[in-house]
Amino acid sequence: MRTEITELLGIEYPIVQGGMAWVAEYHLAAAVSNAGGLGLIGAGGAPAEWVRDQIKKAKELTDKPFGVNIMLMNPEADAIAKVVAEEGVKVVTTGAGNPEKYMAMWKEAGVKVIPVVASVALAKRMERCGADALVAEGCEAGGHIGENTTMVLVPQIVDAVSIPVIAAGGIADGRGIAAAFMLGARGVQMGTNFVVTDECQVHENYKKCIIKARDIDSRVTGRSTGHPVRALRNKMTREYLRLEQEGASFEELEKLTLGGLRKAVVDGDVENGSVMAGQIAGMVKEECTCKELIERLVKETDALIKGAGFYE
Ligand code: TUI
């Protein structure tokens, strides 16, 4: 399953695991990389030294390439950007901002840079400042999202840039992967699907929420504050949306989400916490290993597009 993305990253399958804050730690990243995809450690809101420790631990579990996702709203983003270069991480992805100021340092260190973008404007800008590839993330995704759906965003970004594009948001089986290739993507990134794997260390309650979610069970909070976040509906999203309608302050609202992610992932408080997940949660039905998941995805995709000329 060779594409420009597998060649760029030196991996077997063009399947990237999303760099989910609190969720994507070294066990998951190493398992995905060992299964032939690209595993990512999600720095989220963590301190730089936590990220360094995670990188070291991932290296003990895999000799395959893996990456780090930097959430650019993290106050320690500058320090994390340095850690990634110092530790010889092969790939960095970024989210929730513009990583331009780190680009020169990363290129110097030989790090492949793949910004996650949600608009054509940022995609073009990232190509101009030297990005190696892009993740085009539609608003079907979980967590912090943009305005456009994957179906709309991917082909427009593919047309606007000449670097390879990885599609994200709303993909969880071979049909989704095949569809992404049809839109011009050369790889896919998935988050929700990987949360429900044996190697993912989130609280069992979090996995259960995803497994029992239906198509209509996610909500987007924070549209009014300019930080829209998709999570499965619960007491927190109800409360948030009520406060938002009443015109609550940015600070009051923010408290409910980012701190809430830890509550859901670590403590298993899936009522008051933020159970970030994509709309595709309705299709994620059983737990398996990362290897089983990736092998199934590849088999399904192969059956759909072998011979269509997208890959050998
Ligand atoms: O970043 C994500 N997804 C995330 S980050 C996150 S942690 C968090 N939790 C609560 C509140 C806020 C963050 C959870 N999920 N995906 C990548 C992504 N990036 N989606 C959208 C964007 C984005 C949006 C605007 C990237 C850049 C941007 O504008 C940058 C600029 O300066 O133009």
Side-chain angles (χ1 to χ4, degrees):
M1 207 169 175
R2 285 215 301 271
T3 72
E4 285 163 81
I5 290 298
T6 57
E7 300 312 283
L8 174 73
L9 304 177
I11 57 179
E12 204 175 341
Y13 307 118
I15 297 176
V16 179
Q17 162 243 317
M20 302 163 281
W22 283 105
V23 173
E25 45 69 82
Y26 74 96
H27 294 96
L28 181 62
V32 172
S33 288
N34 281 333
L38 184 78
L40 295 179
I41 293 164
E49 288 313 307
W50 179 88
V51 178
R52 194 191 300 280
D53 184 57
Q54 290 278 313
I55 294 167
K56 292 197 162 119
K57 286 173 169 151
K59 283 180 186 162
E60 285 169 18
L61 295 187
T62 185
D63 50 16
K64 302 259 173 74
F66 66 88
V68 171
N69 172 269
I70 306 181
M71 204 277 282
L72 295 167
M73 292 194 293
N74 183 334
E76 291 210 25
D78 288 1
I80 297 169
K82 271 206 205 99
V83 165
V84 164
E86 285 163 10
E87 296 297 326
V89 170
K90 298 282 182 285
V91 188
V92 62
T93 70
T94 61
N98 176 348
E100 216 163 313
K101 64 173 172 175
Y102 308 121
M103 216 64 114
M105 174 178 65
W106 287 335
K107 299 254 112 182
E108 179 104 347
V111 184
K112 299 277 189 286
V113 185
I114 311 184
V116 180
V117 300
S119 70
V120 169
L122 190 61
K124 284 175 151 172
R125 192 161 174 161
M126 293 298 97
E127 178 179 47
R128 269 202 310 276
C129 70
D132 295 282
L134 296 167
V135 174
E137 187 183 272
C139 59
E140 297 94 323
H144 182 65
I145 53 173
E147 284 295 333
N148 282 320
T149 61
T150 303
M151 179 78 106
V152 165
L153 186 67
V154 172
Q156 293 190 72
I157 291 183
V158 166
D159 285 348
V161 300
S162 46
I163 50 178
V165 173
I166 297 166
I171 301 170
D173 69 2
R175 291 171 299 182
I177 298 174
F181 283 130
M182 295 294 166
L183 296 175
R186 294 292 183 260
V188 295
Q189 175 181 282
M190 295 181 295
T192 308
N193 223 346
F194 282 111
V195 179
V196 187
T197 56
D198 294 338
E199 294 91 341
C200 180
Q201 311 285 307
V202 300
H203 198 285
E204 273 307 307
N205 294 351
Y206 203 113
K207 293 185 182 179
K208 281 193 193 129
C209 279
I210 290 175
I211 287 170
K212 78 167 204 279
R214 298 165 305 164
D215 54 347
I216 53 168
D217 283 340
S218 80
R219 293 290 180 272
V220 178
T221 59
R223 288 205 197 274
S224 71
T225 66
H227 289 126
V229 169
R230 183 181 301 285
L232 295 180
R233 70 186 175 93
N234 62 4
K235 186 159 166 247
M236 185 283 290
T237 61
R238 268 197 305 282
E239 177 84 344
Y240 191 112
L241 291 168
R242 187 180 61 76
L243 285 171
E244 205 171 9
Q245 259 192 338
E246 289 169 3
S249 73
F250 176 75
E251 289 73 23
E252 200 179 343
L253 291 169
E254 271 314 83
K255 270 200 312 238
L256 284 170
T257 47
L258 198 48
L261 184 58
R262 181 189 185 284
K263 236 189 252 175
V265 170
V266 182
D267 308 336
D269 184 353
V270 293
E271 269 310 302
N272 303 296
S274 180
V275 188
M276 293 183 194
Q279 289 183 316
I280 205 72
M283 223 166 68
V284 174
K285 286 292 161 225
E286 62 187 10
E287 189 165 343
C288 60
T289 65
C290 289
K291 188 164 187 287
E292 286 165 348
L293 174 58
I294 288 178
E295 281 173 359
R296 174 171 67 77
L297 293 169
V298 169
K299 205 169 129 210
E300 288 171 356
T301 311
D302 266 355
L304 289 167
I305 56 177
K306 259 262 161 76
F310 286 95
Y311 58 83
E312 296 163 55

